[in-house]
Amino acid sequence: MKKHEKFMQIALEQAMEAQAQGEFPVGTVIVHGDRIVASGQRLHTLEQKESVNEIDHAEILALRTLLAQETAIDPAELVVYATMEPCLMCFSALILNGIRHIVYAYEDVMGGGTNLSLDRLNPLYAEMKVTVTPHVLRQESLDLFQRFFANPENRYWKDSLLANYTLNQ
């Protein structure tokens, strides 16, 4: 199994855990060399929880875990694996923290941020060189999202562009 597929499979396991808890099935792992240094899964999408929010994305939680470790790892050496294309918030948080390599499985046609043209922004962003690798284990991730959106009990982003796109794949 290739390196990208190996680590994306672990991100998919994080996503499956999230889905088993009724959460949106996004999982993320942050890798340094051949070692996972942080991971996260989407939390607080359930309407019955009092802390429902759009901040606790898998990438943000993995990044918080990484930063809490206070390691001396050069962030430019890290690779982030996410089961869904990072949204604009997550993409920005990752690159502002020095991460330059992002691999994702399934495209977020509604809110994906990786196609943001950094060179058209102010110098802080325009000078960043970010490598994005899309569609690693896309079908496996798509299957998770299709199950999520097909479940009538899940109301998160129901009838959205993302839900309709996903169900029609």
Side-chain angles (χ1 to χ4, degrees), residues 70-118:
E70 299 183 27
T71 62
I73 297 171
D74 178 357
E77 296 174 0
L78 298 171
V79 180
V80 170
Y81 293 86
T83 57
M84 176 172 269
E85 176 185 2
C87 70
L88 187 56
M89 173 185 72
C90 293
F91 182 63
S92 298
L94 292 169
I95 65 173
L96 281 172
N97 280 281
I99 295 172
R100 298 294 180 259
H101 305 282
I102 299 169
V103 180
Y104 69 83
Y106 184 58
E107 65 275 11
D108 181 351
V109 297
M110 187 171 75
T114 65
N115 63 355
L116 177 65
S117 182
L118 296 175

Side-chain angles (χ1 to χ4, degrees), residues 47-65:
E47 292 180 11
Q48 64 266 27
K49 291 184 179 178
E50 57 189 61
S51 59
V52 171
N53 67 67
E54 282 300 330
I55 298 171
D56 291 335
H57 289 198
E59 300 91 338
I60 298 297
L61 297 177
L63 187 58
R64 284 181 180 159
T65 298

Side-chain angles (χ1 to χ4, degrees), residues 127-138:
E127 295 170 5
M128 292 181 181
K129 302 298 180 224
V130 179
T131 302
V132 177
T133 304
H135 303 136
V136 174
L137 299 184
R138 180 186 184 274

Side-chain angles (χ1 to χ4, degrees), residues 12-27:
L12 282 163
E13 291 167 11
Q14 290 286 318
M16 287 183 248
E17 282 183 34
Q19 188 172 37
Q21 297 171 26
E23 300 284 359
F24 195 54
V26 179

